[in-house]
Amino acid sequence: MEALIDIALIPILKVVVVVFGFAMAIGTVLTWVERKQSAFIQRRVGPNRANLGPITAFGLLHLVADGIKMILKEDIIPDGSNKVLHMMAPALGLLPVMIIFAIVPFMDFYCHGTNVVIDGMDYCFAEGGIGAGVVRLDELANPLYNPRLGHYFQIADLQAGLLYMFAVTGVSVYGAAIAGWASNSKFSLMGGLRASAQMISYEISMGLSLAGLLMIYATIDVNDIVREQGDLLFGFLPAWGIFMQPVAFVLFLTASIAESKRAPFDMPEAESELVAGYFTEYSSMKFAVFSLGEFVAVVFIAAITATLFLGGWHVPWLYADGFHFGFDAWTGGAATTTAEAVSAYAAANPPDLALPYPLVVFLRIGAFITKTILLCFLQLQLRWTLPRFRYDQVMHLGWKVLLPISLLNLVVTAFFVLI
Amino acid sequence: MLSQYVPLLWLLGLAGAVVGGILTATTLLGPKKPSKTKNAAFECGSGSIGDTRQRFSVKFYMVAITFIVFDVEAVFVIPWAVVSKSLGWVGFGAMGVFLVILTLGLVYEWASGGLEWD
């Protein structure tokens, strides 16, 4: 029974909450936000007609109305198209951005033991077992996943987390490429070609820009990367990725927006040239699945940027037992056992503002969701602020600007990490 | 430690079921009134001219080939990045040679016009 809960019930619950309750829900609401935001920017009213009697909820009911309308529309499959691929392409567009949420950490694992904060890192000890026989801090590693000790606020705690992300973003090219090929329309084909060329071009800068971050944190486990960002630089500045790797932050955000084919990089679906690009020949819910995939990708880019560069679930200076505004260096002290050393350190470094652990958990999840939503807004704001590039400019930016800068950033980071 | 991948199976199954369900539902629920004009590929309202599966610009192949080179580079760079602290200057030197060779390749391709789109 216990095993069943651990391997089936909890993962399924996490999938439902994270993918359907968080990613798809925010993605759906973003379609409304985008229409309303563009309306404000262009001094229009925006969607406001759908109603249940007197209730319009600022046009939010358009989401329901759109869904019902889309699913009842005729599903047109053009003559001469490849029926199977035409049917598969929307699924291949949406599925990767859904399964990529497996690695997004909403919080550190929930500690059922004793929390001790040592030099900007939270350590979780099982009751009574404070690191038996370990004296050096680097041997005092965080425990690996153990359901008895804590549960992760993450679907799958993968040690190869970022590799999984790279793998899935690689697969996400297929949706657009296959949709363009299968539709038997020249606009679709051009859109699909542009989409695949653009996505593979920016994938390289995306991977190389993160390499600098991996050097600094020396891990590809997403949880460990976030944990490392709890450290303090110069004793006061949170060691977030954006402060450690400002260039990589800009490169990564640019490359991932280009990767998700959104404005100002929406060449594959430029309506003034290609009608709707690779999904020109899609109607009904299949069209909606493509556009939902795009918005869920926006949520993922926001979530992973917050995770890697903005401290993930960290609230600045907030640790497992409350706010700390500075730490003594860990020396191990004069104590002979780690238990004594840890206790002595904890006694000498009490939190400046103690908070109960459940409140800290709540604040951290809130911080992560707030960061994600702010970054979603940033992406929508970019879309309605910047004009669209020309295709040669997109490729120029990818190969001649982002790629050399990310290589340079990599070498400079490697140099400074080793000094 | 393969057990950490088990949740991925649930995720893939549930997400696949939902997406498949949406696509099946829209196929079943919508009306079916096909006609020759409606099913024609969209080409600004006029009849379709010529075959769609025709040849396209060689530049897309150039991008794909260049992509393979640099993606393989990323495959080598990322493992080095993770352990670069422990590899020290020896690793830095070895990767430096590798990166210089690839950068020379990029410079060559750039100079010979392989990255131009006009």
Side-chain angles (χ1 to χ4, degrees):
Chain A
M1 191 62 207
E2 188 122 313
L4 194 68
I5 289 176
D6 274 347
I7 63 165
L9 198 65
I10 288 175
I12 289 176
L13 208 65
K14 282 180 183 171
V15 168
V16 171
V17 171
V18 171
V19 176
F20 304 114
F22 178 77
M24 303 249 308
I26 293 188
T28 315
V29 173
L30 280 183
T31 61
W32 170 79
V33 172
E34 177 155 85
R35 288 162 76 182
K36 213 63 178 172
Q37 191 188 23
S38 64
F40 281 128
I41 287 176
Q42 299 166 343
R43 308 209 65 166
R44 292 182 285 112
V45 182
N48 66 345
R49 295 296 174 85
N51 60 71
L52 287 171
I55 308 165
T56 58
F58 308 106
L60 260 174
L61 290 173
H62 275 269
L63 296 178
V64 186
D66 282 346
I68 297 172
K69 185 187 82 173
M70 291 281 197
I71 210 155
L72 292 176
K73 286 285 179 187
E74 181 172 356
D75 170 29
I76 302 168
I77 300 176
D79 288 335
S81 64
N82 186 325
K83 301 260 181 321
V84 178
L85 289 182
H86 189 269
M87 181 82 183
M88 262 171 58
L92 286 175
L94 180 57
L95 266 182
V97 289
M98 285 169 86
I99 62 171
I100 205 170
F101 270 90
I103 56 150
V104 173
F106 285 71
M107 226 293 284
D108 208 351
F109 60 83
Y110 189 93
C111 177
H112 291 296
T114 313
N115 272 305
V116 183
V117 184
I118 303 171
D119 208 3
M121 279 275 255
D122 298 336
Y123 291 89
C124 177
F125 296 108
E127 221 53 72
I130 297 182
V134 187
V135 178
R136 283 190 9 245
L137 183 64
D138 54 345
E139 286 177 15
L140 222 156
N142 271 290
L144 292 172
Y145 174 73
N146 175 352
R148 247 44 68 190
L149 218 51
H151 277 108
Y152 279 98
F153 286 67
Q154 184 186 25
I155 293 175
D157 164 45
L158 301 184
Q159 286 174 343
L162 281 181
L163 288 187
Y164 175 76
M165 184 190 92
F166 290 134
V168 178
T169 44
V171 172
S172 63
V173 181
Y174 288 111
I178 290 180
W181 174 256
S183 296
N184 191 33
S185 158
K186 296 184 185 72
F187 292 119
S188 301
L189 183 67
M190 286 311 298
L193 278 175
R194 282 186 178 186
S196 13
Q198 173 179 334
M199 286 169 89
I200 59 177
S201 301
Y202 282 86
E203 210 172 292
I204 296 166
S205 312
M206 207 172 105
L208 289 181
S209 66
L210 285 188
L213 206 68
L214 302 181
M215 274 176 199
I216 289 174
Y217 298 127
T219 171
I220 47 171
D221 185 328
V222 185
N223 274 304
D224 285 343
I225 291 179
V226 181
R227 260 179 226 129
E228 296 277 346
Q229 296 184 58
D231 222 343
L232 295 179
L233 285 178
F234 316 118
F236 69 98
L237 189 67
W240 290 1
I242 189 171
F243 299 123
M244 313 288 281
Q245 286 275 291
V247 180
F249 173 72
V250 177
L251 291 174
F252 180 74
L253 199 57
T254 315
S256 15
I257 292 175
E259 179 92 14
S260 74
K261 308 181 289 293
R262 277 184 60 83
F265 302 100
D266 57 347
M267 298 308 306
E269 47 202 78
E271 61 267 23
S272 48
E273 306 162 30
L274 294 179
V275 190
Y278 57 89
F279 53 79
T280 307
E281 297 293 346
Y282 281 88
S283 60
S284 75
M285 207 64 187
K286 286 181 176 174
F287 162 77
V289 163
F290 271 121
S291 93
L292 185 62
E294 192 179 306
F295 280 100
V296 177
V298 169
V299 182
F300 176 73
I301 291 167
I304 201 69
T305 311
T307 304
L308 298 176
F309 290 98
L310 297 183
W313 34 259
H314 278 296
V315 181
W317 306 294
L318 178 69
Y319 296 91
D321 56 0
F323 283 96
H324 287 262
F325 298 106
F327 293 97
D328 294 341
W330 165 268
T331 55
T336 45
T337 68
T338 314
E340 283 174 30
V342 167
S343 308
Y345 186 90
N349 290 274
D352 295 310
L353 175 67
L355 292 177
Y357 187 55
L359 181 63
V360 171
V361 171
F362 182 76
L363 284 177
R364 283 179 161 177
I365 297 176
F368 179 76
I369 293 177
T370 312
K371 286 170 189 172
T372 306
I373 289 175
L374 286 178
L375 282 167
C376 287
F377 265 113
L378 175 71
Q379 292 181 64
L380 296 190
Q381 189 75 35
L382 280 178
R383 165 160 195 175
W384 293 103
T385 309
L386 298 176
R388 180 182 294 138
F389 285 113
R390 275 197 331 259
Y391 198 67
D392 64 319
Q393 291 170 328
V394 171
M395 300 311 273
H396 182 279
L397 181 69
W399 287 105
K400 297 187 182 172
V401 181
L402 293 193
L403 181 59
I405 294 180
S406 53
L407 282 172
L408 199 65
N409 180 51
L410 181 75
V411 176
V412 172
T413 310
F415 186 73
F416 276 100
V417 162
L418 287 176
I419 275 183
Chain B
M1 287 303 283
L2 271 180
S3 64
Q4 57 183 327
Y5 291 91
V6 171
L8 290 185
L9 295 179
W10 293 112
L11 174 57
L12 201 57
L14 279 173
V18 167
V19 175
I22 292 174
L23 293 180
T24 317
T26 193
T27 314
L28 295 179
L29 290 175
K32 303 256 177 324
K33 291 175 194 142
S35 76
K36 197 165 186 319
T37 341
K38 194 195 277 177
N39 285 10
F42 180 75
E43 219 157 276
C44 302
S46 60
S48 184
I49 301 167
D51 187 13
T52 309
R53 276 77 192 252
Q54 50 186 328
R55 297 191 290 177
F56 43 82
S57 172
V58 70
K59 283 165 189 145
F60 291 106
Y61 289 106
M62 290 296 296
V63 168
I65 290 169
T66 322
F67 162 74
I68 299 221
V69 174
F70 284 94
D71 210 38
V72 171
E73 175 184 10
V75 166
F76 285 117
V77 161
I78 286 172
W80 164 63
V82 177
V83 292
S84 65
K85 269 181 199 167
S86 42
L87 285 184
W89 289 106
V90 179
F92 183 80
M95 273 321 268
V97 173
F98 178 62
L99 287 177
V100 164
I101 292 173
L102 273 162
T103 312
L104 284 180
L106 181 69
V107 169
Y108 174 74
E109 188 176 356
W110 193 331
S112 57
L115 301 175
E116 300 299 326
W117 286 74
D118 42 26

